[in-house]
Amino acid sequence: VQLQASGGGLVQPGGSLRLSCAASGSILSINDMGWYRQAPGKQRELVARITSGGSTNYADSVKGRFAITTNYANNTVWLQMNSLKPEDTAAYYCYAVAARRGVLGFFDYWGQGTLVTVSS
């Protein structure tokens, strides 16, 4: 299973960015997709996640500003980030909890990080 993330970049405070992540490969089913982020010198933290049933969770720091959506039909997840703040600067990593054809069980898969920089 491969995850391809895109959409990062440099944005001014108060601006918006939209991240996308597409999973591909021998996917049988995906339970959960989402985004973590890691700022320099800090631990990786969950930003947002969405289950195959549509339930969502957000970090308190992004509630009301970020929105996660998905199209599980084509294994893609998006993160709309509005009202960005300098403290949102980090590398953002998408993940999927997926089952592969011919392999028993669900496993975590990760995409490469995409850098988001919020600065004037």
Side-chain angles (χ1 to χ4, degrees):
V1 176
Q2 298 82 40
L3 276 70
Q4 182 67 44
S6 62
L10 173 65
V11 63
Q12 292 186 340
S16 298
L17 282 175
R18 189 184 194 216
L19 305 183
S20 65
C21 178
S24 61
S26 57
I27 298 169
L28 182 62
S29 177
I30 295 180
N31 261 359
D32 187 333
M33 292 186 79
W35 298 87
Y36 277 75
R37 69 185 179 186
Q38 187 167 21
K42 294 188 177 181
Q43 290 187 331
R44 188 176 292 195
E45 64 171 350
L46 176 67
V47 178
R49 61 184 286 265
I50 184 166
T51 69
S52 57
S55 297
T56 57
N57 294 97
Y58 294 93
D60 288 342
S61 59
V62 307
K63 284 180 181 177
R65 300 187 298 122
F66 291 11
I68 188 168
T69 55
T70 186
N71 182 344
Y72 274 113
N74 59 15
N75 301 325
T76 303
V77 64
W78 297 272
L79 184 68
Q80 179 66 42
M81 305 185 295
N82 299 325
S83 302
L84 282 161
K85 303 175 181 180
E87 51 263 44
D88 294 318
T89 296
Y92 284 69
Y93 299 88
C94 66
Y95 77 92
V97 181
R100 291 172 51 197
R101 292 185 176 85
V103 178
L104 184 64
F106 285 82
F107 298 90
D108 296 346
Y109 298 91
W110 292 88
Q112 86 285 5
T114 185
L115 186 61
V116 172
T117 303
V118 184
S119 175
S120 55

